[in-house]
Structures are given as C-alpha cells and as structure tokens.
Amino acid sequence: MSKKQIAILFGGRSGEHQVSIISASSVVNRLKKDKYDVHPIYITLEGKWLYPIVPEELLKDAKIINKANEVAILPDPSKKGLYLLGENQEKHIDVVFPVMHGTYGEDGTIQ
C-alpha cells in the first residue's frame, strides 16, 4: 500500500498566525511517517504560499522561507496536486489538511 500524500496548510494572514505554526508543528509530528508523506505549505502573513517549510524548523529560524518554492493548489478538478510555480512541476496530493486559525482560516476562506 502506498503512502497517502498529505498537504498541511499553516500560517496565514491572521492575527493567529504564530498559533497556527505551533499547531501545525504538533500535527506534523504526530502523523505516522509509515502511512503518510507530509507536504507542509506555509502561508505568509502577506498570503504567499511556500513549500516545503517544516513548521518546527520555521519556529527556530524564520530565514528558511528564503529557500522555499512558491506554490499553488489549483481549483481545477482535473489537477490533483501542488504546483511549484516557476518550476512548472506538480506533486500529487491526496488530502489537504488546513491547520489555520482566525481570519482566512477558521472562517472558511481556505476551504
């Protein structure tokens, strides 16, 4: 059985941005590595989507965002992946798990 590909969305344009990073760190650390490949996607305060940004590493050093790729998840149902912008590359995603708090997260905007 192949592993499920899980995208974790965290951060965001909310006043609860930092809380989301801490929550995402907890989620990522508790997902079973033998069952899931985790694809952490950090949403900056400005709304830019960056990948891969491991929440725990971001908490230690914010400069890691300089090494990340800008990405998007397209609303086209024939596309089932994460698109690395600038590289024209796709990564298959089975499930998107939003770990967002406050405005633009808990209000349904992401969904």
Side-chain angles (χ1 to χ4, degrees), residues 38-109:
V38 177
H39 302 276
I41 303 165
Y42 171 60
I43 303 173
T44 68
L45 281 164
E46 298 77 32
K48 187 182 284 191
W49 292 34
L50 301 174
Y51 170 85
I53 299 286
V54 176
E56 194 167 355
E57 292 175 14
L58 180 62
L59 289 168
K60 294 175 186 171
D61 182 9
K63 292 179 185 175
I64 67 168
I65 65 171
N66 297 327
K67 298 176 185 173
N69 297 299
E70 194 168 351
V71 296
I73 297 174
L74 302 179
D76 181 344
S78 70
K79 308 287 184 190
K80 296 187 185 208
L82 178 65
Y83 290 86
L84 281 71
L85 304 176
E87 294 184 28
N88 200 23
Q89 183 183 8
E90 176 185 354
K91 288 191 171 288
H92 176 81
I93 298 293
D94 294 305
V95 175
V96 176
F97 186 163
V99 184
M100 311 282 293
H101 298 290
T103 310
Y104 306 109
E106 291 174 334
D107 65 358
T109 301

Side-chain angles (χ1 to χ4, degrees), residues 5-21:
Q5 304 301 304
I6 310 288
I8 304 291
L9 297 180
F10 68 99
R13 297 170 37 203
S14 161
E16 296 188 49
H17 180 91
Q18 196 70 17
V19 175
S20 174
I21 298 170

